[in-house]
Structures are given as C-alpha cells and as structure tokens.
Amino acid sequence: MEIDRAVGESSDRRLQTKYRNAVYVIQRAFALYEFEQVAFSFNGGKDSTVLLHLLRAGYYLHKGKSECFQGNLSDSMLNCPIRTIYFESPSAFPEINSFTYETATVYNLQLETIRLDFKSGLEALLREKPTKAIFLGTRIGDPNAVGQEQFSPSSIGWPPFMRVNPILDWSYRDVWAFILTCKVKYCSLYDQGYTSIGSIYDTVPNALLSIVDSSSTTEIFKPAYMLSDGRSERAGRMKKLPLKCDTACLNNGVTNVSQSGSFIASIIVVGDEILFGTAEDKLSAVLCKKLNAIGWQVTRMTVVQNDIDCVAAQVEQQKSTNYMVFLLGGLGPMHSDVSLAGVAKAFGVRLAPDEEFEEYLRLLIGKHCTGDRNEMALLPEGITELMQHSKLPVPLIKCQNVIILAATNVSELETQWDCLLETPSHPLMRLPPFMSKHLGTMLSDVETAQTISKLCLEFPDIYIGCQRKSRVGPLVITFVGKDETRIELAAEKLSNSFPAGAFSSGDCG
C-alpha cells in the first residue's frame, strides 16, 4: 500500500515511530469491534485527513495483507470503506465542504452528513445504527483533549461510545511530516496560511506566515507547513490562549513586595532522596544567595516528594503569594520526574508536545533519541515560555511566574542563573542587594536575648538572626538589610551594650 510504503521508505525515524504506534491503535480497534460497529469522524481538516490515510493503512495491515496472499485484495480494502460521519455546519468554509465531499468520493467513504450539533448528531446516529467506537483526529494540544487517552469512553452525559484517538500524541510537525511524506491531498485553505481551521467567523490566516511584499496590495501568506513553531498553530483563531503572560499574570493579583522594599520569591525542591536523607540539598542555599544579591527576599524553601499532587499543591499555593517561584529537581525521563506535570496541574492546563523544546532535546540526546514520544518535551500548554541562551544546551522553562531550573549541582546552577539574568526577557528586576554583617560572641543566649529583642524593635528594617554551630561554640549574630549605615549602627549598638571585647566583628557586604 502506498501510505505504508512511503513512510517505510522515509528517513524520518520519528515519523515512522508515530506511524507504527497510530496504526497499532487502529488495528487494535478493528480487532476489538466489528467493522460495522465503528465509525470515523471526518471534518476536512489536516488532522482528520491524516487519520483517514492512517485508517486506510491500518485496515490494509489488519485485513488486506492476510488476503493479499490469497489474491483477494480489492480496491475497497485499499480504500477502507468505513462509515464516515461529517458534521456539516452553515459556518464552515466552502473549501472544507468541497474537500470533504471530494475526498469521500475518491476513497469510497460511506459518508453520512449530519446537520445538527455534535452531541445531538451523535445521539441521533447511535439511535439509528449501533456504534461502539468512533475514530477521532484529536491531538493532545486540542482544547477538547483534556484527560483523554488513545481509548477513552465518552464523557458523562454523552451517548456511550469509545473514543479512539490514534494521533493523540502527534504534534503539528508530525501531521505535516506525514502529509508531505505520503503526498496526500489536503484542503486548499492550508496553502493560504490557515494553520487551524474553525468556522468562517473565528478563523483567519496565521499572521506568523504573512509575507511582506511592498509591490502587492494584497496580503500573501506562506502555506501552513512552513510554520516553524507548532505552539502557534492556533494563532489564527480569535479565541486563543496567550502564549506569553503579561505583568498582571506574573503578579497573580497580589502585591508581592516585602516590607524591606524587595520582591519576594519562594523555592520548591522536588526530591524523595532529600526527604529520605540520602542526598543533601545544596542548591536552594546557593539560589537564596543569588536572589539576595539582586535584592530579592526568599520567604520560603520547601522540599516535596516526587509526587504530582504534592508538587501541584505547593506550586498552586506559592505562585499566588510570591512574585516568583523557583522549582528545582524532578526534571528528566525517569518515572520520578514529575515537576512539569505538577506545574501543569497547578495552573489547570494539560501537558502538550512542544516542538521547539523537542528539537533542543534531540540535539542534546543525539543517537539516544529513538523517535518515540519524548516525555521530556511535554510542557504546560499555553503558559510556557522558553528562555534561550547560547551557553545553555536547552532553554530554561518559565510558566507564568514559575521558573523551572534543571541544575543538578552548584556549578550548573550558577551557569543557569547567569544565563537567566542575561536573557533579555528575564522577569527578575535588579534591586539594591541585601548586605550582611556578622558578630561573634562567647556570651550565652540568656545574656544576649533581651538586648537583641530590643534591637529588633528599634531596627524593623534589619533582620537580626542568631545561630550556633554547637552549644559550646560561639554565638553568631547576623544583621541583614539593604542600608549599610543602618546595619553598622545596629551592630555597634549591640557591641556597646556589653563589655569591650565581648564581640568579634565580621565584614559588611
């Protein structure tokens, strides 16, 4: 068969894997349900066009090959005469209608046109003909894909049937790679700059494909397969999620400024090994110092286990009370790497393939990338911004006011931090840095406690902390603030409250 042959002869290993997986789902459906009890929902768009030809290939591999050796392979087998549903809308593009009917004729589809809304149309269809499963061209980035798997029962309140989603994990790039590799015909609107087609009232050509031509009075667009960033697929829809958040999104509706005039941040560390005591968290301490150096105050550091719900709960709580949240750990291909899934759940969005990020991973992983679905390339949809830097093998990930750092050691963290500050769109406003001064004494806690408490009331803008490395060692009093003069004054008052020589001084800075 020409589809199976075209993909098999392609050098695109990723496409071959996506194709094999999709055809396997189709073959499973044909094995589970009688052919007369399955249907195909076709809408003339690029995704359902891909699914049509995958169904032809799956039908051929399921039934045709076994009969080919007996000389019984017919044209109908190659065409897959599956019952096909088309929900025709008065607001559909004429090009979509004409392409749909032409395609049905060419491939001998048993087309049933329904002129009702999707739910009412399905109810009428299932009353008339028993239908146990319907093939859908749903992809994970689609608005209605929330919670779906390759085999998903219909939602509560809908007619009962099995939704079969063979291309659920396909990206925009995968769809066009298949269409161009197999040289199948598609709707002409895609050659006019349309990348996602809805109704005539909410769909326009994608502005990212616009061609500037001073000699022409009409706007010209490149074809849809020229769109380099699949995340912008729905940019031609009037009702679309913003790709980047604005200042209001970052603030989350709260005033995230401390009394010291600093922006406040929190740090979430994901790692069972830290909670089990088998590893030590060194990164959050370094990150605190980095933030203090640019005048930011860290209000909380939290270590959570490698669990999606635990990560989501912390992110959801802290993103609304801090100007910025930094997340460390839990990134990678392991079963325990759940940070991105936790962030997505906290923001109420799904994880969707990000083609740009996947390209970076492909270059990094190289020959170890088998072409299978790369879980590391699934990012929170609609809220993710990739912060690129020439010194980083992959961009930093920012989801509204959550920045995910992939550092595994202090050296990597320092590099990522420097790159973050050098990124033009970085959200970290530089403020006067925090400075500190340390005094050491062999006086007891009881002797110094009352005096230090009074200083805290007198200098509310100065943080005064006390720490002992051991009960028999010196007591270290730390003064932290942004006004060096005030820090020196507070330290001097403490020293003058006790006999000379009771305190040894450290540097301020």
Side-chain angles (χ1 to χ4, degrees), residues 247-257 263-264 316-324 401:
T247 304
C249 293
L250 284 174
N251 285 326
N252 283 304
V254 299
T255 304
N256 301 311
V257 181
F263 287 109
I264 63 174
E316 185 172 10
Q317 178 185 6
Q318 297 188 32
K319 71 183 176 66
S320 60
T321 56
N322 293 269
Y323 191 87
M324 197 62 60
N401 66 329

Side-chain angles (χ1 to χ4, degrees), residues 169-182:
D169 65 342
W170 284 42
S171 69
Y172 182 84
R173 184 190 65 181
D174 297 328
V175 167
W176 282 109
F178 178 88
I179 290 174
L180 298 176
T181 297
C182 298

Side-chain angles (χ1 to χ4, degrees), residues 83-305:
R83 184 154 53 95
T84 304
I85 313 164
Y86 177 50
F87 289 85
E88 184 176 297
S89 168
S91 60
F93 283 88
E95 293 88 344
I96 286 287
N97 283 331
S98 59
F99 174 73
T100 299
Y101 291 115
E102 178 185 344
T103 301
T105 301
V106 170
Y107 295 104
N108 193 31
L109 300 177
Q110 307 303 303
L111 193 66
E112 298 180 22
T113 302
I114 298 176
R115 294 178 176 85
L116 298 171
D117 64 88
F118 197 74
K119 185 176 182 181
S120 301
L122 284 178
E123 290 173 343
L125 178 76
L126 269 62
R127 281 197 302 267
E128 182 181 347
K129 296 180 181 179
T131 304
K132 292 187 176 181
I134 300 177
F135 288 102
L136 301 169
T138 301
R139 289 192 290 117
I140 200 168
D142 295 341
N144 63 334
V146 178
Q148 290 204 46
E149 299 294 339
Q150 290 172 324
F151 287 84
S152 289
S154 55
S155 302
I156 296 174
W158 282 69
F161 67 94
M162 181 64 71
R163 293 174 290 187
V164 184
N165 304 310
I167 62 170
L168 187 65
D169 65 342
W170 284 42
S171 69
Y172 182 84
R173 184 190 65 181
D174 297 328
V175 167
W176 282 109
F178 178 88
I179 290 174
L180 298 176
T181 297
C182 298
K183 299 178 181 179
V184 298
K185 189 174 181 180
Y186 52 86
C187 180
S188 61
L189 289 174
Y190 292 110
D191 285 332
Q192 301 171 31
Y194 291 85
T195 53
S196 177
I197 301 174
S199 77
I200 58 176
Y201 301 114
D202 66 2
T203 310
V204 295
N206 195 319
L208 297 174
L209 293 173
S210 177
I211 300 174
V212 178
D213 186 357
S214 57
S215 63
S216 176
T217 57
T218 58
E219 194 170 13
I220 303 174
F221 294 87
K222 293 181 287 188
Y225 56 80
M226 297 293 290
L227 184 68
S228 58
D229 187 352
R231 292 177 299 173
S232 304
E233 173 185 357
R234 298 180 67 83
R237 296 292 191 101
M238 295 177 186
K239 299 177 182 179
K240 61 181 185 299
L241 289 172
L243 292 178
K244 295 184 179 180
C245 56
D246 54 20
T247 304
C249 293
L250 284 174
N251 285 326
N252 283 304
V254 299
T255 304
N256 301 311
V257 181
S258 69
Q259 292 182 350
S260 63
S262 302
F263 287 109
I264 63 174
S266 64
I267 300 171
I268 302 173
V269 183
V270 182
D272 287 342
E273 62 278 6
I274 297 173
L275 296 172
F276 281 121
T278 59
E280 182 181 356
D281 171 31
K282 298 180 180 179
L283 299 184
S284 56
V286 174
L287 186 53
C288 281
K289 292 180 180 178
K290 297 290 186 184
L291 286 163
N292 291 164
I294 63 169
W296 284 57
Q297 182 177 350
V298 178
T299 59
R300 177 183 297 183
M301 292 192 312
T302 308
V303 181
V304 299
Q305 63 189 101

